[in-house]
Amino acid sequence: MKRKKISVYWTGLGIYTLILLILSWRFLDYTDKALIQYEASQPEAAMESYMAEFKNMLADGTLCEKIEMPEIPNTFEPEDAYNNQYEARLADIGNYSFDRDADGYSAQEPVYCIYGDGAPVAKVTLSASNERTIFGILTIMDWGVKTVTPVLDTELKSYTLQIPDTYKATVNGIELNDDDLTGTIIEDPEFANVSLYVKMPYQVEYEVSDLINEPEIKVFDADGREAAFSLDEDGNVYVSGTQITQIPEDRYNDALKMAQAWDNFLTRDLGGENNGMSVIQQYLIRDSYYWNIAGDYARSVDITYISEHTLSGQPYSDIEISDYISYGENCYSCHIYFEKNMILTSGARRVNTIDSTFYFVRYDDSDDGVDNPHWAIADMIAATGSDD
């Protein structure tokens, strides 16, 4: 009877122990699975998974289609301008990693930074869903990718273009329009006198901002011909709009005749009434600056101080007319240089030099109602260092 009781005891103990072992095994198995599930529910695990997807998208060329690329900040570049630049940047990267972005921490939407060869290339924002508790104390949730944005190191470029008002400019083949004008108008101070009688070109200013890549800039003159321009390191484009060409023979002759007439008037060699005033007036514009100067000079005592002299057999030497610029059919300029050789009554020789840029305009200043335009001197700008 005693052995029977012992046998029941050991049998019961064995069954109890077995139950405990089974329960312990199940508990440990559950714990292990719970911990595995907990580890798998961490955002780092979601990032590990996304990293593989990120690399696959980069390899098959679909990355830029599936992440949030920024909008192009200008109207002169194609919609894929950022895409091309970003893909080219990532193409040379050999090693990728990720880490939590300290500036974007959030328990519900943590932000991670993807690094390419140690430099940040993208930011990934995760979002949590299906929050639940396991093991009685562990909170787990499912993680999904909410947004992926590229980290761009693009330095946007801006350009300021100053071109004549009659010119056009294009950026990447797109013509600039009034919306691109800054409103700044630059007038050449050299044209101050001339612009009183004819319309002279002035500069207008365009601004093109936020370009991603180096643009193709072209400038075209009023006739549609492509014009050269200067571009400095600050992105300033400048076109003078003036093209020096060969002076036509008729304008060469007219320019020289008028310049010599003015010089002869100054040295009292022109002849005619009022110390040559009646002659020089035919080469000036009525009531203009030079018309009035000539009148004052002809009537002043200064003209009487010109030493008595004669002109040599070849009075003009070293004649040079250069830098001819046409401003249309009614205006042109050129640089005129010559020396006039004079012999004083004392026998001494003196040279009078003209070294100036002359502006000539075709203008009608008649007061009889008859249309009778004529070429006249509108301005004379002495060369630097010239005494004239």
Side-chain angles (χ1 to χ4, degrees), residues 352-368:
N352 194 58
T353 300
I354 288 292
D355 185 10
S356 299
T357 295
F358 283 73
Y359 286 85
F360 302 98
V361 299
R362 189 169 179 268
Y363 190 74
D364 182 11
D365 59 358
S366 58
D367 56 4
D368 56 6

Side-chain angles (χ1 to χ4, degrees), residues 134-170:
I134 61 172
F135 208 53
I137 58 172
L138 298 177
T139 299
I140 66 171
M141 56 195 74
D142 298 330
W143 292 100
V145 175
K146 182 179 181 181
T147 60
V148 183
T149 56
V151 175
L152 302 168
D153 58 357
T154 305
E155 184 178 347
L156 298 178
K157 305 168 181 63
S158 296
Y159 295 84
T160 300
L161 294 82
Q162 289 184 1
I163 64 175
D165 65 303
T166 57
Y167 279 36
K168 298 183 182 300
T170 62

Side-chain angles (χ1 to χ4, degrees), residues 67-325:
I67 66 175
E68 295 186 9
M69 297 297 293
E71 293 185 2
I72 303 303
N74 63 77
T75 59
F76 299 98
E77 295 179 284
E79 294 182 357
D80 60 355
Y82 270 132
N83 300 24
N84 296 335
Q85 188 185 78
Y86 190 56
E87 289 173 349
R89 177 188 171 195
L90 299 187
D92 297 328
I93 293 176
N95 180 55
Y96 287 94
S97 60
F98 70 89
D99 198 1
R100 188 185 292 269
D101 184 5
D103 297 330
Y105 177 77
S106 167
Q108 294 298 314
E109 293 186 350
V111 179
Y112 285 83
C113 188
I114 297 178
Y115 296 90
D117 290 340
V121 296
K123 290 197 174 184
V124 182
T125 301
L126 303 180
S127 61
S129 63
N130 191 25
E131 183 176 331
R132 57 202 183 275
T133 302
I134 61 172
F135 208 53
I137 58 172
L138 298 177
T139 299
I140 66 171
M141 56 195 74
D142 298 330
W143 292 100
V145 175
K146 182 179 181 181
T147 60
V148 183
T149 56
V151 175
L152 302 168
D153 58 357
T154 305
E155 184 178 347
L156 298 178
K157 305 168 181 63
S158 296
Y159 295 84
T160 300
L161 294 82
Q162 289 184 1
I163 64 175
D165 65 303
T166 57
Y167 279 36
K168 298 183 182 300
T170 62
V171 175
N172 295 332
I174 299 173
E175 185 175 329
L176 301 182
N177 56 40
D178 290 348
D179 293 336
D180 304 306
L181 287 168
T182 65
T184 299
I185 294 177
I186 304 98
E187 296 180 340
D188 192 327
E190 262 195 28
F191 298 158
N193 286 332
V194 185
S195 60
L196 296 174
Y197 309 105
V198 292
K199 183 180 182 299
M200 297 298 287
Y202 57 87
Q203 301 281 106
V204 293
E205 185 177 80
Y206 294 89
E207 187 168 13
V208 180
S209 303
D210 299 331
L211 293 174
I212 300 167
N213 301 295
E214 294 286 345
E216 179 187 52
I217 298 175
K218 290 186 176 181
V219 179
F220 301 90
D221 66 18
D223 296 322
R225 296 182 298 248
E226 189 169 350
F229 60 85
S230 62
L231 172 63
D232 65 22
E233 58 184 13
D234 295 323
N236 297 311
V237 174
Y238 180 76
V239 182
S240 69
T242 57
Q243 298 182 5
I244 297 174
T245 57
Q246 181 67 36
I247 185 170
E249 184 177 359
D250 58 336
R251 292 194 172 182
Y252 178 101
N253 294 332
D254 285 345
L256 183 59
K257 178 179 66 176
M258 286 185 275
Q260 289 177 343
W262 178 257
D263 183 56
N264 286 332
F265 171 68
L266 296 180
T267 57
R268 209 169 59 178
D269 291 314
L270 197 56
E273 297 179 3
N274 297 323
N275 293 314
M277 181 63 187
S278 60
V279 178
I280 196 60
Q281 281 181 334
Q282 63 182 310
Y283 303 125
L284 302 174
I285 298 172
R286 184 183 302 274
D287 297 325
S288 68
Y289 173 76
Y290 288 98
W291 176 286
N292 294 328
I293 281 183
D296 292 342
Y297 178 66
R299 292 185 292 270
S300 73
V301 68
D302 294 340
I303 199 169
T304 64
Y305 293 150
I306 300 297
S307 300
E308 294 294 332
H309 63 274
T310 58
L311 300 180
S312 66
Q314 293 291 333
Y316 299 106
S317 60
D318 296 326
I319 298 172
E320 182 178 352
I321 299 181
S322 59
D323 298 341
Y324 167 76
I325 298 173

